[in-house]
Each structure stands twice: as structure tokens, then as C-alpha cells.
Amino acid sequence: MSYIDGFVIAVPTANKQKFIDHAQHADSVFIDLGAIRVVECWGDDVPEGKVTDFRGAVKAEPEETVVFSWIEWPDKPTRDRAMKTMTEWMENPDTADPRMDPEKNPMPFDGTRLIYGGFAPVVTL
């Protein structure tokens, strides 16, 4: 069964094209590591909630847009191998895929406010 990694981030609205360029460059790494697809969604209708909401979850400022993304993997073992590879790259940047080099492809957002998690699908229609 497939496995999903989900992400929510706040991106400065002025950096929309920079974000798209960054994602197109970096997301190909996930495909090369076995992902079935990667989807990046620019917030279009993200209301403020009374108790909690996407904007609050990532502490989005008024000049930022919420981005919701996910990576679909064929199964959890494929995802776990890919994440192990990514962790090894962070620990030893000399062996990292150059597409993940923050000097060459800097994140156009504050990565400290990124929220993410891995999810096992329970219903698929």
C-alpha cells in the first residue's frame, strides 16, 4: 500500500516563482529516490479558523501564502530508504545530491516553520 508524506509551509507571497523553481529542482530528487509523485499546492482558499487553521500551524504572516504539499511513495519501506538517504546527506553534505545543496537551491521560505508527517492511507476512492 502507498505511503504519503505531507507538508505545510508558509512562503512569502513575493517568492511564489522562486518556490516553484526550488520545488521543480528539488522534487526530482524524491522521484529519483522512488516517489510516485510529488504535488505542491499554492494556497488559494485558506480560511482563518476560530480554534486552529493552516495559517496558524505555520505561523504565516499576512504577506505569506500557505503551501500544502505531499509526496506519494509506493510503500513505506521505499519512503524509509529515501529518508535514510536524505538524512545521510544532511550528516555528510559531501556525498549529497547536488540538487539538495542549499547553496545552489536555497529554500525561499523559513524551514523552521515547516510542519510534516508520514501517513498511511486508510481509505482511497
Side-chain angles (χ1 to χ4, degrees):
M1 175 170 263
S2 65
Y3 194 80
I4 307 295
D5 278 316
F7 308 87
V8 180
I9 55 176
V11 178
T13 303
N15 286 354
K16 183 177 182 180
Q17 189 58 52
K18 287 180 184 177
F19 172 79
I20 292 168
D21 295 343
H22 169 81
Q24 287 178 328
H25 192 70
D27 290 352
S28 62
V29 173
F30 298 115
I31 298 297
D32 289 348
L33 291 174
I36 295 170
R37 75 179 173 152
V38 180
V39 179
E40 306 280 1
C41 304
W42 192 258
D44 179 60
D45 184 11
V46 184
E48 290 188 25
K50 292 183 179 167
V51 177
T52 189
D53 59 37
F54 280 111
R55 294 189 66 76
V58 293
K59 298 180 180 174
E61 299 292 332
E63 70 283 351
E64 294 178 317
T65 298
V66 174
V67 172
F68 174 64
S69 307
W70 69 90
I71 303 171
E72 182 178 355
W73 302 96
D75 50 46
K76 190 169 188 296
T78 302
R79 180 268 198 168
D80 289 348
R81 281 191 303 276
M83 291 303 145
K84 183 176 185 279
T85 298
M86 301 286 285
T87 300
E88 289 170 357
W89 287 346
M90 285 191 264
E91 293 170 356
N92 189 0
D94 294 337
T95 64
D97 186 302
R99 292 172 290 181
M100 299 304 288
D101 183 345
E103 295 290 321
K104 296 178 183 163
N105 191 23
M107 292 188 302
F109 54 88
D110 178 0
T112 65
R113 292 185 285 140
L114 169 115
I115 60 172
Y116 63 92
F119 300 86
V122 293
V123 176
T124 303
L125 300 177

